[in-house]
Each structure stands twice: as C-alpha cells, then as structure tokens.
Amino acid sequence: MEKVVALERMVELQQLIGSTQAELAATMASFVAGARREVLGGEFATDEIAVALRCGRGRVLNQVRLAETMQTSLPATWAAWSAGTIDAYTAGQILDAAERLADPDKLAEFDAEAAERAVSKTAPQLTAWLARRVARLEPEQSAARHQRAVGQRRVGVQLDLDGMGTLWAMTNAVDLTAIDLELTRMAKDLGADDPRSIEQRRVDLMVDRLLGRATSGQPADSGADSADAHSGPSSRPPAPV
C-alpha cells in the first residue's frame, strides 16, 4: 500500500510541476506583453525576467513563445498543460510539431489529438506519434521537407573531456536504423568470450571498420599487453587536441 500511496503522490507532484510551469510561462508572457505597451516597447523585459529568475534569456524567450502561441493557436494543449496533465517539455514537443503544419485549417484537429495522446505517451513515443501525424495530415509537404532535409545530411565531431569525443551523423532514418542493427548483430557475433560490453563492441567495430584497423571489432594493436587486447578505446592514447 505504501508504494501505491507514493506513486499517487508522485503523480500529484508531477501534475503540480506541470501546472506551475504553465502558470510561470503565462506570467512571463503577460509581463512581456505589458512591457511592450511601455515607451521602450518592452525591449528589456526578457532580460528583467532572466535576472529575476537567474536563468538564460533564451529560456525566457522560449517560455514566452510557448505560452503566447498555445493560448492563441493550441487551446487544447494549453488546457492540458495548465491542468498539469502534461509538462513544459511535452508542450514544447507538440508546438514544434504543430509549427511544421503548412495548412492552418488542420491545426485544430492536430491540437485536439495531440493533447489527448500526450497524456498517455512517453516523450519518445510522443515524438514518433507527432511525426507520423504531421506526415499523414500533409503527405506532400512532408515529402518536400524530407527532400530538403536530405540535402542537409552531414557528419560532425565534438571533442569531449578525458580524451574522448562524440561522432554524430545526420542522414536518412532508414540507413541509420540499418547501421544500428548491423552494429548490434556484428557485436553479438563476437561471442560471449569477448569481455567488452555490447556498446563497447559496437563502437569499436564502427571505429575500426571506418579506419580499416581490424575486422573482428577488436582494437588495433597499440603496444598494450595481450591481457589488455580487449580493453577497447582506452588501450589507445588519446588523440591530441
């Protein structure tokens, strides 16, 4: 029974957080709207809020945008947020998806459905549903957006701490899914005797294949003792930065 009570309390607190976030965003928007009627046109209103709340100006602008747009264009989502059945992040997900719609006449239908679905979905589930719904509402526009996005495909590298880094790629989802599945298959094929985790094997396979170092997924010989043959990237000296 204690677990049930604790879970119910967590739900109550989460709803309180959501409704409080909505109230805060609405208050920010009201403050900015009032400042716009002043002599300076509210030029520094967002800065005043940022200083008072000890947060970045970008966050203030985002929250004001959320509140103003939802109150006028997404009333169902705004009602759900104000009631605390969704939170600020979920509201932002819905707004981002709604702004992809080219036909304003479809906005009301999308708003009602999204507000209803959001209550019972996790963030990743909602992201997938929103993408599908936008595509089904406007298939031609969705296809055009995809073609534009294909033209922006790219690879990037971010150097992190401790001699590590992140490699990311933006390309079509079908190829990325195939790569993900293939890396997992190859990693599992290395067998249970490989002491590395699946994730370690996956990344070693990717790096070694791209650099032509090995075909087994084992890190290339870096002069380490044989006992460290499966130690993964840590057996290599970090790249100079």
Side-chain angles (χ1 to χ4, degrees):
M1 179 60 78
E2 291 182 359
K3 290 178 63 177
V4 173
V5 173
L7 287 170
E8 290 176 346
R9 181 55 179 160
M10 282 187 270
V11 171
E12 291 175 357
L13 291 172
Q14 183 62 38
Q15 290 179 338
L16 179 60
I17 290 172
S19 61
T20 302
Q21 288 174 331
E23 183 179 357
L24 176 59
T27 305
M28 288 182 181
S30 178
F31 182 90
V32 171
R36 288 176 184 145
R37 295 189 289 270
E38 297 177 355
V39 176
L40 295 178
E43 180 180 356
F44 302 107
T46 53
D47 297 287
E48 291 181 82
I49 297 173
V51 171
L53 300 183
R54 300 185 301 280
C55 66
R57 185 170 181 268
R59 181 194 165 198
V60 176
L61 289 170
N62 179 63
Q63 293 300 295
V64 170
R65 166 178 162 269
L66 268 176
E68 289 182 338
T69 307
M70 289 195 167
Q71 288 173 336
T72 57
S73 303
L74 299 170
T77 302
W78 174 250
W81 188 16
S82 298
T85 54
I86 64 173
D87 60 13
Y89 180 78
T90 303
Q93 283 183 286
I94 296 173
L95 177 58
D96 289 343
E99 290 182 332
R100 297 168 67 83
L101 290 170
D103 185 354
D105 292 337
K106 295 176 180 173
L107 198 58
E109 177 185 355
F110 175 81
D111 175 37
E113 291 182 355
E116 180 181 356
R117 296 294 185 109
V119 177
S120 59
K121 292 186 180 294
T122 65
Q125 290 172 340
L126 181 61
T127 297
W129 181 86
L130 290 169
R132 291 195 303 271
R133 192 67 189 119
V134 169
R136 288 170 182 168
L137 283 171
E138 296 183 339
E140 293 183 1
Q141 289 85 347
S142 180
R145 282 195 297 269
H146 174 69
Q147 288 303 315
R148 289 194 297 270
V150 167
Q152 298 173 350
R153 62 192 184 279
R154 59 194 184 276
V155 174
V157 173
Q158 175 183 316
L159 299 181
D160 299 322
L161 299 176
D162 302 321
M164 300 298 283
T166 301
L167 171 70
W168 57 267
M170 178 182 290
T171 186
N172 76 77
V174 174
D175 285 346
L176 286 177
T177 300
I179 291 170
D180 184 50
L181 293 173
E182 180 64 10
L183 284 172
T184 299
R185 183 196 65 76
M186 293 164 58
K188 290 180 177 179
D189 284 348
L190 293 176
D193 292 337
D194 193 311
R196 292 171 295 174
S197 69
I198 288 293
E199 289 304 320
Q200 289 171 338
R201 297 183 206 178
R202 277 163 46 91
V203 73
D204 288 347
L205 282 161
M206 179 189 72
V207 172
D208 289 338
R209 291 263 173 146
L210 285 173
L211 298 179
R213 286 176 173 159
T215 58
S216 65
Q218 299 177 9
D221 184 9
S222 62
D225 294 338
S226 59
D228 295 327
H230 292 284
S231 59
S234 60
S235 65
R236 306 174 187 141
V241 295

